[in-house]
Amino acid sequence: MAIDSQQATTKICILISGNGSNLQALIDACDTPSLPSASIVRVISNRKDAFGLKRAEKAGIPTAYHNLLAYKKRHPATEEGIGAARSEYDKDLAALVMVDKPDMVVCAGWMHILAPTFLDPLESAGIPVINLHPALPGQFNGSRAIERAYAAAQEGKIDKTGVMVHYVISEVDMGEPILVREIEINKSDTLDELETRIHENEWQIIVQGTNTAIERLRTSSRPKATG
Ligand code: GRF
């Protein structure tokens, strides 16, 4: 939904699955020079016990829990049945998101692969979907990216990993990068030390990447990715 550059704020809907430390970074950055024109209209979780829901409620942000299990119960536990359940789940998720008429969707620790039944209606409505991923473009797509980077470094295959914010397409973590930051992996690093360093960078990158995506939406131009 190309937005009028005079529009005061850009309405964002945030999808989460867990602790919500990146959501918190966005909440804390709203109405500051780091994220001057964003307002969070809803936080949606696919996990009922996600602590991020508590963070949103504390900040007075409406929340919703969208449960995949209910859809799986309506279909046989076959590959086809699970596929149908996920497709319906994503279609209803798109409808749930659209209720608030957001200008953009931010996946901040959202651990569910979004199907075309979610992405297509949002694309048709001009609502970009962006995601935070703890790896460099094309390096460790999918889950457990930090552990896999750490293992590869232990084997001497890599000496750096990174974090990125990218546009979401149906190919997992392969959408156009918006913001990419490289992170060194030191030989002496423990996995915990690397995770801590990555999360500290993520809290900055999720805010900068969201702000950049908002500016692009407001100027409806999409220049090259920046480091
Ligand atoms: C982050 O590391 C994110 O990159 C990954 O899941 C983690 C979520 O952390 N997809 P939080 O829930 O925002 O604290």
Side-chain angles (χ1 to χ4, degrees):
M1 203 170 303
I3 57 177
D4 164 7
S5 57
Q6 303 314 310
Q7 182 179 319
T9 63
T10 304
K11 295 180 287 178
I12 58 176
C13 173
I14 302 181
L15 306 183
I16 65 163
S17 296
N19 171 32
S21 65
N22 289 285
L23 163 65
Q24 192 66 56
L26 290 166
I27 291 172
D28 298 345
C30 280
D31 302 323
T32 74
S34 315
L35 204 52
S37 62
S39 69
I40 304 170
V41 290
R42 188 168 301 275
V43 170
I44 300 175
S45 175
N46 64 336
R47 304 236 175 96
K48 199 172 188 174
D49 58 357
F51 183 67
L53 290 173
K54 297 246 180 313
R55 295 177 189 269
E57 283 147 20
K58 190 159 173 268
I61 300 165
T63 62
Y65 161 51
H66 190 49
N67 175 13
L68 177 58
L69 212 52
Y71 291 78
K72 284 186 171 175
K73 284 185 181 147
R74 289 204 290 262
H75 293 274
T78 59
E79 198 179 326
E80 209 182 323
I82 291 166
R86 293 182 71 96
S87 177
E88 283 173 26
Y89 173 86
D90 279 49
K91 181 170 169 288
D92 291 351
L93 178 64
L96 179 60
V97 164
M98 300 269 236
V99 169
D100 301 294
K101 297 189 173 48
D103 301 301
M104 194 164 76
V105 172
V106 179
C107 301
W110 169 255
M111 305 305 277
H112 168 90
I113 297 171
L114 295 168
T117 47
F118 175 86
L119 296 170
D120 295 350
L122 270 82
E123 186 168 1
S124 311
I127 302 172
V129 181
I130 68 173
N131 180 51
L132 170 72
H133 184 61
L136 295 172
Q139 191 192 33
F140 295 107
N141 297 338
S143 61
R144 301 182 54 258
I146 302 176
E147 292 96 322
R148 291 153 58 203
Y150 185 74
Q154 296 292 299
E155 293 160 20
K157 290 183 182 151
I158 61 170
D159 59 7
K160 64 175 179 285
T161 181
V163 291
M164 67 167 171
V165 173
H166 62 94
Y167 290 103
V168 175
I169 58 175
S170 47
E171 206 184 343
V172 176
D173 300 326
M174 286 305 285
E176 176 197 340
I178 297 166
L179 201 56
V180 179
R181 182 182 290 177
E182 291 187 350
I183 296 174
E184 295 300 319
I185 307 178
N186 310 314
K187 288 220 171 340
S188 60
D189 272 339
T190 63
L191 177 56
D192 278 359
E193 285 164 342
L194 178 62
E195 274 184 351
T196 302
R197 199 158 58 244
I198 286 181
H199 293 324
E200 285 164 353
N201 280 278
E202 284 188 313
W203 301 329
Q204 297 166 2
I205 288 284
I206 187 81
V207 173
Q208 291 170 22
T210 300
N211 196 44
T212 301
I214 287 174
E215 284 168 356
R216 289 182 185 179
L217 198 55
R218 297 176 85 86
T219 57
S220 67
S221 63
R222 300 178 76 177
K224 283 268 148 286
T226 56

